[in-house]
Amino acid sequence: MTEKPPSSRRRSRWITIPFKIVGGFVILSLLMVGLYRFVPPPVTWTMLFDPHGFTKDWMSLDEMAPNMARAAIAAEDSRFCSHHGFDVDAIAQAMRHNASGGRIRGGSTISQQTAKNVFLIQGGGFVRKGFEAWFTVLIEAIWGKRRIMEVYLNVAETGIGTYGANAGAMRYFHHDASRLTRAEAARIAAILPLPKKRAAVAPSGFTRRYGNSIAARIGVVQRDGLDGCLR
């Protein structure tokens, strides 16, 4: 049996390296997602790179006032319980809106935002979007809706250096998230898109109007069972 020449062996190694990298990434991502199905993520890249430091205080979804999850659904993702990670209609609407000019609007679901917040960095363009899609598929399949919402409400930025609804509740209202009223939950949800620029205490202008609108929609979420996957 003749031995392959060195040049042929080198080519074989270069061919197998990409497959090994991809395989290693798949295995590592599956392990991380599987672990976080049961264990709270200890920290995220966004927290680590926050120049203000970070404050967080994990609270389970069972302990948290239902108003908070309903407010998140009302504000961020009304089809959360019916889609499988991606809201095609919302993405199409965002694309039409962005094509018409004005402020850029995203079409990300709560599942996509959770995947990004837990496993990835902010920014990154289309490359990050690709990884975000991969992790979104994984958490939808492995975590399920309740766990996705629980993690989202504990890692989302709710103020400068503040992460999670519980830490936000204590910062703004001086009590934990188990006691959030409809109005308080709506105010926290109203600042989620721009947590460094909006305040939940004594909000004014757009933030106040948006919070009032979310508070009104919380009743719709409950009445129409849009939070049914969390009950």
Side-chain angles (χ1 to χ4, degrees), residues 125-190:
F126 289 108
V127 174
R128 195 221 67 209
K129 277 290 184 182
F131 285 112
E132 179 185 294
W134 165 250
F135 280 107
T136 298
V137 170
L138 289 187
I139 63 175
E140 281 279 340
I142 297 173
W143 289 5
K145 294 294 188 179
R146 276 188 62 84
R147 182 60 173 177
I148 291 172
M149 179 62 75
E150 182 173 62
V151 173
Y152 174 71
L153 292 178
N154 277 283
V155 301
E157 190 175 5
T158 52
I160 296 176
T162 306
Y163 292 84
N166 194 35
M170 290 188 286
R171 171 177 178 165
Y172 298 120
F173 308 118
H174 310 294
H175 61 71
D176 67 29
S178 69
R179 296 167 51 198
L180 282 170
T181 66
R182 181 179 294 187
E184 290 170 343
R187 287 184 180 182
I188 290 177

Side-chain angles (χ1 to χ4, degrees), residues 22 36 56 107-108 120 125 149 151 160 189 191 216 219:
V22 172
Y36 290 161
K56 64 185 182 69
S108 294
L120 305 169
M149 179 62 75
V151 173
I160 296 176
I191 66 175

Side-chain angles (χ1 to χ4, degrees), residues 17 32 36 50 52-53 64-65 78 85 96-97 100 107-108 114 116 122 187 189-190 197 219:
I17 285 174
M32 291 176 66
Y36 290 161
D50 194 323
H52 304 281
M64 200 174 294
S78 62
R96 287 194 296 269
H97 171 84
S100 65
S108 294
T114 304
K116 176 188 67 177
Q122 304 297 321
R187 287 184 180 182
K197 296 183 179 180

Side-chain angles (χ1 to χ4, degrees), residues 2-182:
T2 60
E3 186 179 353
K4 291 183 179 179
S7 59
S8 178
R9 291 199 298 270
R10 284 195 295 270
R11 282 197 299 271
S12 298
R13 283 199 297 269
W14 281 110
I15 291 172
T16 58
I17 285 174
F19 290 99
K20 290 180 179 179
I21 292 173
V22 172
F25 169 75
V26 170
I27 292 171
L28 179 61
S29 58
L30 285 169
L31 289 174
M32 291 176 66
V33 173
L35 177 64
Y36 290 161
R37 169 67 179 83
F38 306 100
V39 178
V43 70
T44 67
W45 291 111
T46 305
M47 295 176 190
L48 287 175
F49 288 115
D50 194 323
H52 304 281
F54 61 91
T55 299
K56 64 185 182 69
D57 192 0
W58 182 276
M59 175 176 280
S60 71
L61 197 63
D62 289 333
E63 295 176 286
M64 200 174 294
N67 286 316
M68 191 63 246
R70 289 169 186 154
I73 290 173
E76 299 286 299
D77 189 358
S78 62
R79 299 184 183 92
F80 175 70
C81 283
S82 59
H83 64 62
H84 298 288
F86 307 93
D87 189 337
V88 177
D89 291 338
I91 293 171
Q93 289 174 11
M95 292 177 64
R96 287 194 296 269
H97 171 84
N98 297 338
S100 65
R103 190 173 66 181
I104 298 297
R105 178 184 298 173
S108 294
T109 63
I110 286 175
S111 301
Q112 289 174 270
Q113 293 178 54
T114 304
K116 176 188 67 177
N117 289 339
V118 174
F119 300 105
L120 305 169
I121 61 173
Q122 304 297 321
F126 289 108
V127 174
R128 195 221 67 209
K129 277 290 184 182
F131 285 112
E132 179 185 294
W134 165 250
F135 280 107
T136 298
V137 170
L138 289 187
I139 63 175
E140 281 279 340
I142 297 173
W143 289 5
K145 294 294 188 179
R146 276 188 62 84
R147 182 60 173 177
I148 291 172
M149 179 62 75
E150 182 173 62
V151 173
Y152 174 71
L153 292 178
N154 277 283
V155 301
E157 190 175 5
T158 52
I160 296 176
T162 306
Y163 292 84
N166 194 35
M170 290 188 286
R171 171 177 178 165
Y172 298 120
F173 308 118
H174 310 294
H175 61 71
D176 67 29
S178 69
R179 296 167 51 198
L180 282 170
T181 66
R182 181 179 294 187

